[in-house]
Structure formats: structure tokens, C-alpha cells
Amino acid sequence: MIKIRSFLSVIFILLLPVTSQAALDIEIVGGAAQQIPIAIVPFSTTANAPGAGQDNISTIIGADLRRSGLFRVLETRGVANQPHDLPEIKYPEWVALQAQALTVGKVEALPGNRLKVSFRLVDVLKQNQLAGLEYNIAPNQLRATAHRIADIIYEKLTGEPGVFATRISYITRVGKRYALQVADADGYAPQTVVSSNEPIISPSWSPDGTKLAYVSFEKKKPIIFVQSLVSGQRYALANFKGNNSAPSWSPDGKRLAIVLTHSANSQVYTINADGTGLQQVTRSSAIDTEPVWSPDGGSIYFTSNRGGAPQIYRIPATGGDAKRVTFEGTYNVSPRISPDGKALAYIRQEQGRFRVTIQDLATGQVQILSDTAQDESPSFAPNGRMILYATNAGGKGALAAVSSDGRVKQRLSETGGDVREPAWGPAAN
Amino acid sequence: MNKSLIMSLVLVATLAACSSKAPKEAPAKVDDMSMNQSGAAGAGDSAASTSGTSTSGMEVNPLKDPNNILSKRSVYFDYDKDDVKAEYRPMIEAHAKYLLANPSAKVVLQGNTDERGSREYNLSLGQRRAVAVKNVMNLLGVQDKQIETVSFGEEKANTSMQDESAYKQDRRTDIVYEGE
């Protein structure tokens, strides 16, 4: 209790940006029933502007859209018309390609080592512009800009916000070394936030995306730390007697739900982000753990075995009566609420298989989403469309993702070592 | 390449050998223990040992003597369960008696689970398993100040094998004495 607010400078923090290199290769399995056909003409680049070949901004945009499973990115090399701005578009050629939408653009060098990126998105049949924007960026912002353009295209054509410009966190284990990593949502530019010879689990993003809470065993017992992704500074949020685990930020970022044992069972508490104001939420003689907040901040969903086997319950965030939420199956754990608050994702064990499951909170209807067998740690994308999770592939921890309707499946494979405990960061502003 | 087995071995170095022989239990355990207890009490008069609390430094440390039940340190559990099976009571009782006879001795009860399922749920389940062993010791009169409970959940599980024979080895509470 005394140590809660002691700020530690992290001497073993390593910030190693690796540009243009993916830590995770993402393979798409399946896709939506109706994919939107889109053509993306390679952006023109002026002589002294970077970004040709694989780094061409249009390649990154195309990979983003393809990975979502909602788009069919058309081959454009056979088309004579290669426009980079509106007046150059010859619509009949793109109608012939059966493109529904077309993206064109260019990258131009500006004085002072800046770049101007401009793009247009047009509806091929209606021959009108759906979006057109210009960005004045530093050269190292090219990938981020490509993701932002992909987000705009995604939103204009699907009606939902894109999540390509977001980040994910996960834990790697290589040999005896554990590392908490943050990477772009497409697996590029991984950075090590913290590393340790003891396990790190349960990373949780602050709603503003500037901090991660996580559980570290570096002191031979689980302690919750909060670390700034901006400064690298961290502090022990909870270092009470017994276990300190399962941090989850409230939607307003002011409090966290955590789990403490003291010298008995795991129980759910809430605590201010600075480590003050501890309040007990659950009071049972059973295991109560894995708290997550409802989007309105009023309720906390959690896992409890108070009925004899682990099931998911809901309780007012200030404490009170818990109500059981899952009824099918004998082992339902790791609740996560969709960003719109309408669906609950969790892990169900049935006949020895642990799979990602989604439940409509209004109707109670349940659907098993994944076709893997050792799934853990589901995490919704900020738009609710995909669920990232950990699984086992070939005896190694690996990440996978499935769309919340079960149609699109992705496998994210890392070269070397285990990957686990994914958490999808909040939407970019 | 990254076997947590290695870490477990490092952490509970003295236990590893015992746990692999876990099924074999000597029937004469209670006798052994009382003998060793009197041996421990006699440590002070047998010359050079530092006066006072230490029970270590003995030529035969009862905690390390493979013929002594005190060298048995692991309580195994069924899947998703935390109730202590009857077969482990004599061993826990022996440790409880040792702790009562050696008030300066302290144990850490380390709860563990197999690798399947939620890491956080398993952390809580490992804690239940540690507390379950503590409760048995408490009933026998051991005070909380001599017992600490921690959980490693599934973090120290042996991930090199994925079958029941490996899983059941991971579902356990280890009794580790301070300083070991």
C-alpha cells in the first residue's frame, strides 16, 4: 500500500522502432460474402520523394483493405488509364474492370524535407468523388498516412470507422525473455515497451492510448504497473499483499478495475489511476476475476466460479448484486464488451476446446466464432468488427483474429518465439 | 526453445527431483519426522552451529532428506478444482508439525495450473490452490505469519507437452521454505 505511488524509472525499457518491417505476418482466411471491388492506382511519386515499390502508399492501403476481408482489391496493371488526379480518370476503363470504387493519388516532395500526399476516392458508376484529402507530412509518417487514407476509404464504403491507423499490444516470449510490445495494427513497427525474465500478462490500454497497464511477475509475484508510452515512465499501481492482477481501464480513464487476493480469494476492486481510492466491488467466497467495464462505465462484467464453474457475471461498478450473464456451457471466461455495448465476447471451453464465442446481450443468442482450439484473451477492434485473440499454432503461442460475424478469419504469425495476450488499442484521433 | 520447465527447475530446484518421484511415499514418515525434529532440536548442542533460530546447516536436513516425508512438497489437484485430496493430508500435516516445531521457519505456498484456459482465471485458481493448502495448515495450528501464498497461475506450466500427463503435473501447490 505504501509503494503504490512510488514512481519508478524504468531502466530496462527498450524503444527500438523498426521501420518497414512486420513482426507479424497476417494471413487472411475467408472473407465477407460480398466484397467491395476497389481499384487502387499506384500513387505517383516525384523524383526526390520516397515511397516506391513495396513502400508505395497504395500497396499499404491495398493490404489494409484486403486484410479486412470486406474488399476485393483489383489488379490495375492491365489497365491503360493510370490516373493520379480527377481530370485524368477515364471512367469506362474502370467500369470495364468492374471496379465499384477507385482510389488515385500522388506523393510530392515539399521544401524542408516534407511530403505532400494527396488522394481521391471516387464512385466509378456515379462518377463522383467520395473523398479527397491532402496531407503535409514528414517522410517517416508515410505508413501512418497510408493507414489513415485506408480508414477513410473503409468508412466511406462500409459506413463504419476503419481501424487501420490503430495499434495493438501483445506479449512475446523468446527463450526466457518476455517482452510487452506495441505495433501498428498491421504488425509493422513493433516496439518493446518493457521486457523481463519473468512473465508479463494482461496488458490493458488506457482509453486515450497513451498508457498501458499490465501485470509483471518480475518481483516473483504479480504486481500491476502503469506505463506511459510517451515517456516510458512507469509506476506500480497496485502492489498489495498477495496477487495484483487483471487491470482494466474505466471508459473515462480515471479508474481501473483490478483483482486483489490479499491472503484469500481473487476479488474485484476499483482504484484511481494514481493508486488512491481503493474500493471493493465483489464480495464472495469464490474466484472473481477478469473485470471489464461496460462502455457507459456503470457496470463491470467479470468471471466468477461462485456457481461451481466459471461463468460471466455483471455487477454495478460501485458494488451490489451480481447477475449471471452466461448460461450455456460449463466454462466461460475472459469477458470483453463490444464498443457499442451490445455484444459480449468470451472464451468457452467445450469438449476440451477453448474457442472465441460471442453473445448478443439483448437476445442472449450465442455463436462460437473461432475454429481454433486453445483460444485466450479476446480483444475487440475499436469499431467492433474484428476480435483479436491468442491461440496455439504448431505448439507455439500465436495470434489470430475473427470478425464478429465469424466470416473473416486472420492468422498472425510471428517468426520465432511465442506471442500471446493481445490487446487492441483505442481508435486513433 | 523456451521451456518453462527450465524456469520451474531453477525456481524450485530442490523440488524437481522429488516431484518426479512423487507417487512413492514412505510409510514410516511420521517416525522419520519426529526423529528429525529431535535432531533439529539437538542442533544447538552439537557444537559450531550458529546459536538460535537456524535449523539449516544440519548434516541431514529433514526438509531435503529423500527418506523424509518433508522432502515431498507438491499437492496435486484435479482440473479446475482446488480441494485438497485426502492422500496429501499426511504430507501437509508433516509440514504443519515442522512449522509448529520451528517457529522461525516460513513457507511460501505456490499455486499453479495447467496451461489451458484464461491466464487470469488460472492465476486466481492457482491462488485458490495455495490457499487450500494454507487452510489445512491453519486448521493444524500454523499461524499466517509463517505462511505466504502466491500464485503463478499457468505461467510456470510445462508448455513443451500438451496432454493430460503434462497437465496433471502442472496442477499443483508447491511448498517452498524460505531461503530455499
Side-chain angles (χ1 to χ4, degrees), chain A residues 177-223:
Chain A
R177 198 76 185 154
Y178 298 82
L180 170 57
Q181 313 246 21
V182 169
D184 292 350
D186 62 355
Y188 275 77
Q191 293 185 318
T192 298
V193 176
V194 67
S195 64
S196 169
N197 284 330
E198 296 294 334
I200 303 168
I201 63 171
S202 306
S204 172
W205 289 84
S206 65
D208 65 1
T210 64
K211 293 183 281 294
L212 279 174
Y214 57 88
V215 176
S216 170
F217 286 71
E218 67 199 52
K219 300 278 192 274
K220 310 291 183 186
K221 62 173 262 183
I223 296 171

Short mmCIF file of all heavy atoms in Angstrom, two decimals, chain A residues 177-223:
data_model
loop_
_atom_site.label_atom_id
_atom_site.label_comp_id
_atom_site.label_asym_id
_atom_site.label_seq_id
_atom_site.Cartn_x
_atom_site.Cartn_y
_atom_site.Cartn_z
N ARG A 177 12.89 -14.84 -22.21
CA ARG A 177 12.67 -13.40 -22.17
C ARG A 177 11.24 -13.05 -22.57
O ARG A 177 10.79 -13.44 -23.65
CB ARG A 177 13.66 -12.73 -23.12
CG ARG A 177 13.87 -11.25 -22.89
CD ARG A 177 14.73 -11.00 -21.69
NE ARG A 177 14.81 -9.57 -21.40
CZ ARG A 177 15.06 -9.08 -20.20
NH1 ARG A 177 15.26 -9.89 -19.19
NH2 ARG A 177 15.11 -7.78 -20.01
N TYR A 178 10.56 -12.32 -21.71
CA TYR A 178 9.21 -11.84 -22.00
C TYR A 178 9.30 -10.37 -22.38
O TYR A 178 10.05 -9.62 -21.77
CB TYR A 178 8.31 -11.97 -20.79
CG TYR A 178 8.13 -13.39 -20.30
CD1 TYR A 178 9.08 -14.00 -19.49
CD2 TYR A 178 7.00 -14.12 -20.66
CE1 TYR A 178 8.90 -15.31 -19.05
CE2 TYR A 178 6.82 -15.42 -20.23
CZ TYR A 178 7.77 -16.01 -19.42
OH TYR A 178 7.60 -17.29 -18.99
N ALA A 179 8.51 -9.97 -23.40
CA ALA A 179 8.50 -8.57 -23.78
C ALA A 179 7.09 -8.12 -24.09
O ALA A 179 6.34 -8.83 -24.78
CB ALA A 179 9.40 -8.33 -25.00
N LEU A 180 6.72 -6.97 -23.55
CA LEU A 180 5.46 -6.32 -23.91
C LEU A 180 5.74 -5.43 -25.11
O LEU A 180 6.58 -4.54 -25.04
CB LEU A 180 4.94 -5.50 -22.72
CG LEU A 180 3.75 -4.56 -22.98
CD1 LEU A 180 2.55 -5.29 -23.53
CD2 LEU A 180 3.39 -3.81 -21.69
N GLN A 181 5.06 -5.71 -26.21
CA GLN A 181 5.31 -4.99 -27.46
C GLN A 181 4.08 -4.21 -27.89
O GLN A 181 2.96 -4.63 -27.62
CB GLN A 181 5.63 -5.98 -28.59
CG GLN A 181 6.64 -7.02 -28.20
CD GLN A 181 7.94 -6.86 -28.98
OE1 GLN A 181 8.23 -5.80 -29.50
NE2 GLN A 181 8.69 -7.93 -29.05
N VAL A 182 4.34 -3.12 -28.59
CA VAL A 182 3.28 -2.36 -29.24
C VAL A 182 3.64 -2.26 -30.71
O VAL A 182 4.80 -1.98 -31.05
CB VAL A 182 3.14 -0.94 -28.62
CG1 VAL A 182 2.23 -0.07 -29.46
CG2 VAL A 182 2.62 -1.04 -27.19
N ALA A 183 2.68 -2.55 -31.59
CA ALA A 183 2.93 -2.48 -33.03
C ALA A 183 1.73 -1.83 -33.70
O ALA A 183 0.65 -1.72 -33.12
CB ALA A 183 3.17 -3.88 -33.60
N ASP A 184 1.93 -1.41 -34.97
CA ASP A 184 0.79 -0.97 -35.77
C ASP A 184 -0.18 -2.16 -35.93
O ASP A 184 0.22 -3.32 -35.81
CB ASP A 184 1.26 -0.51 -37.16
CG ASP A 184 2.08 0.77 -37.09
OD1 ASP A 184 2.12 1.40 -36.01
OD2 ASP A 184 2.68 1.14 -38.12
N ALA A 185 -1.42 -1.85 -36.23
CA ALA A 185 -2.43 -2.91 -36.34
C ALA A 185 -2.08 -3.92 -37.44
O ALA A 185 -2.58 -5.05 -37.42
CB ALA A 185 -3.81 -2.30 -36.61
N ASP A 186 -1.23 -3.53 -38.40
CA ASP A 186 -0.83 -4.49 -39.44
C ASP A 186 0.45 -5.22 -39.06
O ASP A 186 1.05 -5.91 -39.88
CB ASP A 186 -0.68 -3.80 -40.80
CG ASP A 186 0.39 -2.72 -40.82
OD1 ASP A 186 0.97 -2.43 -39.74
OD2 ASP A 186 0.67 -2.18 -41.90
N GLY A 187 0.90 -5.08 -37.80
CA GLY A 187 2.06 -5.83 -37.32
C GLY A 187 3.39 -5.13 -37.58
O GLY A 187 4.43 -5.63 -37.19
N TYR A 188 3.36 -3.96 -38.24
CA TYR A 188 4.62 -3.27 -38.54
C TYR A 188 5.07 -2.41 -37.36
O TYR A 188 4.30 -2.10 -36.46
CB TYR A 188 4.44 -2.37 -39.77
CG TYR A 188 4.64 -3.13 -41.05
CD1 TYR A 188 3.65 -3.96 -41.54
CD2 TYR A 188 5.83 -3.04 -41.78
CE1 TYR A 188 3.82 -4.68 -42.71
CE2 TYR A 188 6.02 -3.76 -42.95
CZ TYR A 188 5.01 -4.57 -43.41
OH TYR A 188 5.19 -5.28 -44.55
N ALA A 189 6.35 -2.03 -37.42
CA ALA A 189 6.94 -1.09 -36.46
C ALA A 189 6.75 -1.52 -35.01
O ALA A 189 6.29 -0.75 -34.17
CB ALA A 189 6.38 0.31 -36.67
N PRO A 190 7.09 -2.78 -34.66
CA PRO A 190 6.95 -3.19 -33.26
C PRO A 190 7.96 -2.47 -32.37
O PRO A 190 9.08 -2.22 -32.78
CB PRO A 190 7.24 -4.69 -33.30
CG PRO A 190 8.14 -4.87 -34.48
CD PRO A 190 7.68 -3.85 -35.49
N GLN A 191 7.53 -2.10 -31.17
CA GLN A 191 8.41 -1.50 -30.18
C GLN A 191 8.27 -2.26 -28.88
O GLN A 191 7.15 -2.64 -28.51
CB GLN A 191 8.01 -0.04 -29.93
CG GLN A 191 8.23 0.86 -31.12
CD GLN A 191 7.93 2.30 -30.77
OE1 GLN A 191 6.95 2.58 -30.08
NE2 GLN A 191 8.76 3.21 -31.22
N THR A 192 9.37 -2.48 -28.20
CA THR A 192 9.31 -3.13 -26.90
C THR A 192 9.05 -2.08 -25.83
O THR A 192 9.81 -1.12 -25.70
CB THR A 192 10.63 -3.86 -26.60
OG1 THR A 192 10.82 -4.87 -27.59
CG2 THR A 192 10.59 -4.51 -25.23
N VAL A 193 7.96 -2.24 -25.10
CA VAL A 193 7.62 -1.30 -24.03
C VAL A 193 8.38 -1.65 -22.76
O VAL A 193 8.92 -0.80 -22.08
CB VAL A 193 6.10 -1.32 -23.78
CG1 VAL A 193 5.73 -0.42 -22.61
CG2 VAL A 193 5.36 -0.90 -25.04
N VAL A 194 8.41 -2.94 -22.45
CA VAL A 194 9.12 -3.39 -21.26
C VAL A 194 9.46 -4.86 -21.48
O VAL A 194 8.74 -5.57 -22.17
CB VAL A 194 8.27 -3.18 -19.99
CG1 VAL A 194 7.04 -4.07 -19.99
CG2 VAL A 194 9.07 -3.39 -18.73
N SER A 195 10.57 -5.31 -20.93
CA SER A 195 10.91 -6.73 -21.04
C SER A 195 11.43 -7.23 -19.71
O SER A 195 11.89 -6.45 -18.87
CB SER A 195 11.92 -6.96 -22.16
OG SER A 195 13.13 -6.32 -21.87
N SER A 196 11.34 -8.54 -19.52
CA SER A 196 11.63 -9.11 -18.21
C SER A 196 11.93 -10.59 -18.36
O SER A 196 11.50 -11.22 -19.32
CB SER A 196 10.41 -8.91 -17.30
OG SER A 196 10.54 -9.65 -16.11
N ASN A 197 12.65 -11.15 -17.39
CA ASN A 197 12.87 -12.59 -17.36
C ASN A 197 11.73 -13.34 -16.68
O ASN A 197 11.75 -14.56 -16.63
CB ASN A 197 14.18 -12.93 -16.65
CG ASN A 197 15.38 -12.64 -17.53
OD1 ASN A 197 15.27 -12.72 -18.76
ND2 ASN A 197 16.49 -12.30 -16.92
N GLU A 198 10.77 -12.59 -16.15
CA GLU A 198 9.59 -13.22 -15.54
C GLU A 198 8.36 -12.84 -16.37
O GLU A 198 8.38 -11.86 -17.12
CB GLU A 198 9.43 -12.74 -14.09
CG GLU A 198 10.55 -13.16 -13.17
CD GLU A 198 10.62 -14.67 -12.96
OE1 GLU A 198 9.59 -15.35 -13.10
OE2 GLU A 198 11.74 -15.17 -12.67
N PRO A 199 7.28 -13.61 -16.24
CA PRO A 199 6.13 -13.38 -17.11
C PRO A 199 5.53 -11.98 -16.99
O PRO A 199 5.58 -11.35 -15.93
CB PRO A 199 5.12 -14.44 -16.65
CG PRO A 199 5.95 -15.51 -16.03
CD PRO A 199 7.13 -14.82 -15.42
N ILE A 200 4.97 -11.53 -18.10
CA ILE A 200 4.17 -10.31 -18.17
C ILE A 200 2.84 -10.74 -18.76
O ILE A 200 2.82 -11.46 -19.76
CB ILE A 200 4.83 -9.24 -19.07
CG1 ILE A 200 6.24 -8.91 -18.58
CG2 ILE A 200 3.97 -7.98 -19.13
CD1 ILE A 200 7.05 -8.08 -19.59
N ILE A 201 1.73 -10.33 -18.15
CA ILE A 201 0.43 -10.70 -18.70
C ILE A 201 -0.53 -9.51 -18.62
O ILE A 201 -0.23 -8.48 -18.00
CB ILE A 201 -0.21 -11.91 -17.97
CG1 ILE A 201 -0.49 -11.60 -16.50
CG2 ILE A 201 0.68 -13.15 -18.08
CD1 ILE A 201 -1.32 -12.68 -15.79
N SER A 202 -1.67 -9.66 -19.30
CA SER A 202 -2.85 -8.80 -19.14
C SER A 202 -2.62 -7.32 -19.44
O SER A 202 -3.01 -6.46 -18.66
CB SER A 202 -3.41 -8.93 -17.72
OG SER A 202 -3.66 -10.29 -17.41
N PRO A 203 -2.00 -6.98 -20.58
CA PRO A 203 -1.89 -5.56 -20.92
C PRO A 203 -3.27 -4.96 -21.19
O PRO A 203 -4.14 -5.62 -21.75
CB PRO A 203 -1.03 -5.55 -22.19
CG PRO A 203 -1.23 -6.90 -22.80
CD PRO A 203 -1.44 -7.85 -21.64
N SER A 204 -3.45 -3.73 -20.75
CA SER A 204 -4.73 -3.03 -20.95
C SER A 204 -4.44 -1.58 -21.33
O SER A 204 -3.70 -0.88 -20.64
CB SER A 204 -5.54 -3.09 -19.65
OG SER A 204 -6.70 -2.28 -19.74
N TRP A 205 -5.05 -1.12 -22.44
CA TRP A 205 -4.81 0.23 -22.95
C TRP A 205 -5.64 1.25 -22.19
O TRP A 205 -6.83 1.03 -21.97
CB TRP A 205 -5.20 0.32 -24.41
CG TRP A 205 -4.31 -0.40 -25.37
CD1 TRP A 205 -4.36 -1.71 -25.70
CD2 TRP A 205 -3.25 0.18 -26.13
NE1 TRP A 205 -3.39 -1.99 -26.63
CE2 TRP A 205 -2.70 -0.86 -26.92
CE3 TRP A 205 -2.71 1.46 -26.24
CZ2 TRP A 205 -1.62 -0.65 -27.79
CZ3 TRP A 205 -1.65 1.67 -27.11
CH2 TRP A 205 -1.12 0.62 -27.87
N SER A 206 -5.04 2.38 -21.86
CA SER A 206 -5.85 3.50 -21.37
C SER A 206 -6.70 3.98 -22.55
O SER A 206 -6.29 3.86 -23.71
CB SER A 206 -4.96 4.63 -20.84
OG SER A 206 -4.20 5.20 -21.89
N PRO A 207 -7.88 4.54 -22.27
CA PRO A 207 -8.78 4.94 -23.37
C PRO A 207 -8.16 5.96 -24.32
O PRO A 207 -8.54 6.01 -25.50
CB PRO A 207 -9.99 5.53 -22.65
CG PRO A 207 -9.95 4.94 -21.28
CD PRO A 207 -8.50 4.73 -20.96
N ASP A 208 -7.19 6.76 -23.85
CA ASP A 208 -6.57 7.74 -24.75
C ASP A 208 -5.36 7.17 -25.48
O ASP A 208 -4.71 7.87 -26.26
CB ASP A 208 -6.19 9.02 -23.98
CG ASP A 208 -5.09 8.77 -22.94
OD1 ASP A 208 -4.62 7.61 -22.82
OD2 ASP A 208 -4.72 9.73 -22.24
N GLY A 209 -5.03 5.92 -25.24
CA GLY A 209 -3.95 5.26 -25.98
C GLY A 209 -2.55 5.67 -25.57
O GLY A 209 -1.59 5.29 -26.23
N THR A 210 -2.41 6.42 -24.47
CA THR A 210 -1.07 6.88 -24.09
C THR A 210 -0.41 6.01 -23.02
O THR A 210 0.76 6.17 -22.74
CB THR A 210 -1.11 8.32 -23.53
OG1 THR A 210 -1.89 8.33 -22.33
CG2 THR A 210 -1.71 9.29 -24.55
N LYS A 211 -1.18 5.09 -22.41
CA LYS A 211 -0.63 4.28 -21.32
C LYS A 211 -1.06 2.83 -21.43
O LYS A 211 -2.12 2.54 -21.99
CB LYS A 211 -1.10 4.83 -19.96
CG LYS A 211 -0.54 6.20 -19.62
CD LYS A 211 -0.98 6.68 -18.25
CE LYS A 211 -2.38 7.23 -18.21
NZ LYS A 211 -2.60 8.45 -18.96
N LEU A 212 -0.24 1.95 -20.91
CA LEU A 212 -0.62 0.55 -20.78
C LEU A 212 -0.52 0.16 -19.30
O LEU A 212 0.47 0.47 -18.64
CB LEU A 212 0.32 -0.35 -21.59
CG LEU A 212 0.06 -0.49 -23.09
CD1 LEU A 212 1.18 -1.31 -23.72
CD2 LEU A 212 -1.28 -1.17 -23.36
N ALA A 213 -1.56 -0.51 -18.81
CA ALA A 213 -1.47 -1.18 -17.51
C ALA A 213 -1.17 -2.65 -17.82
O ALA A 213 -1.62 -3.18 -18.82
CB ALA A 213 -2.78 -1.05 -16.73
N TYR A 214 -0.36 -3.29 -16.97
CA TYR A 214 -0.04 -4.70 -17.19
C TYR A 214 0.37 -5.33 -15.88
O TYR A 214 0.64 -4.64 -14.89
CB TYR A 214 1.05 -4.86 -18.26
CG TYR A 214 2.35 -4.14 -17.95
CD1 TYR A 214 3.35 -4.73 -17.20
CD2 TYR A 214 2.55 -2.83 -18.40
CE1 TYR A 214 4.54 -4.07 -16.92
CE2 TYR A 214 3.72 -2.16 -18.12
CZ TYR A 214 4.72 -2.78 -17.37
OH TYR A 214 5.88 -2.11 -17.08
N VAL A 215 0.45 -6.65 -15.90
CA VAL A 215 0.84 -7.41 -14.71
C VAL A 215 2.22 -7.99 -14.95
O VAL A 215 2.45 -8.67 -15.96
CB VAL A 215 -0.16 -8.54 -14.43
CG1 VAL A 215 0.30 -9.39 -13.25
CG2 VAL A 215 -1.55 -7.96 -14.18
N SER A 216 3.14 -7.72 -14.05
CA SER A 216 4.50 -8.25 -14.17
C SER A 216 4.83 -9.11 -12.96
O SER A 216 4.50 -8.75 -11.83
CB SER A 216 5.51 -7.10 -14.29
OG SER A 216 6.83 -7.62 -14.18
N PHE A 217 5.49 -10.24 -13.22
CA PHE A 217 5.94 -11.14 -12.15
C PHE A 217 7.41 -10.89 -11.78
O PHE A 217 8.04 -11.72 -11.16
CB PHE A 217 5.79 -12.60 -12.59
CG PHE A 217 4.38 -13.10 -12.62
CD1 PHE A 217 3.49 -12.65 -13.58
CD2 PHE A 217 3.94 -14.06 -11.71
CE1 PHE A 217 2.18 -13.13 -13.62
CE2 PHE A 217 2.65 -14.54 -11.74
CZ PHE A 217 1.76 -14.07 -12.70
N GLU A 218 7.95 -9.74 -12.21
CA GLU A 218 9.39 -9.50 -12.02
C GLU A 218 9.82 -9.54 -10.56
O GLU A 218 10.98 -9.81 -10.26
CB GLU A 218 9.78 -8.15 -12.66
CG GLU A 218 9.16 -6.96 -11.96
CD GLU A 218 9.15 -5.71 -12.84
OE1 GLU A 218 8.66 -5.78 -13.97
OE2 GLU A 218 9.65 -4.68 -12.38
N LYS A 219 8.89 -9.26 -9.61
CA LYS A 219 9.21 -9.36 -8.18
C LYS A 219 8.73 -10.70 -7.62
O LYS A 219 8.41 -10.80 -6.44
CB LYS A 219 8.55 -8.21 -7.42
CG LYS A 219 9.00 -6.82 -7.88
CD LYS A 219 10.32 -6.42 -7.23
CE LYS A 219 10.62 -4.96 -7.43
NZ LYS A 219 11.31 -4.70 -8.70
N LYS A 220 8.63 -11.72 -8.49
CA LYS A 220 8.24 -13.08 -8.10
C LYS A 220 6.80 -13.17 -7.63
O LYS A 220 6.40 -14.16 -7.02
CB LYS A 220 9.17 -13.65 -7.01
CG LYS A 220 10.64 -13.52 -7.34
CD LYS A 220 11.04 -14.42 -8.49
CE LYS A 220 12.53 -14.32 -8.75
NZ LYS A 220 12.93 -15.07 -9.94
N LYS A 221 6.02 -12.14 -7.86
CA LYS A 221 4.59 -12.20 -7.59
C LYS A 221 3.93 -11.17 -8.50
O LYS A 221 4.59 -10.22 -8.95
CB LYS A 221 4.28 -11.88 -6.12
CG LYS A 221 4.70 -10.48 -5.69
CD LYS A 221 4.22 -10.16 -4.29
CE LYS A 221 2.94 -9.36 -4.36
NZ LYS A 221 2.47 -8.95 -3.03
N PRO A 222 2.64 -11.37 -8.81
CA PRO A 222 2.02 -10.45 -9.76
C PRO A 222 1.75 -9.07 -9.17
O PRO A 222 1.10 -8.94 -8.13
CB PRO A 222 0.70 -11.15 -10.15
CG PRO A 222 0.47 -12.19 -9.10
CD PRO A 222 1.79 -12.52 -8.49
N ILE A 223 2.27 -8.04 -9.82
CA ILE A 223 2.10 -6.64 -9.44
C ILE A 223 1.62 -5.89 -10.68
O ILE A 223 2.07 -6.16 -11.80
CB ILE A 223 3.45 -6.05 -8.97
CG1 ILE A 223 3.91 -6.75 -7.68
CG2 ILE A 223 3.35 -4.53 -8.75
CD1 ILE A 223 5.32 -6.38 -7.26
#
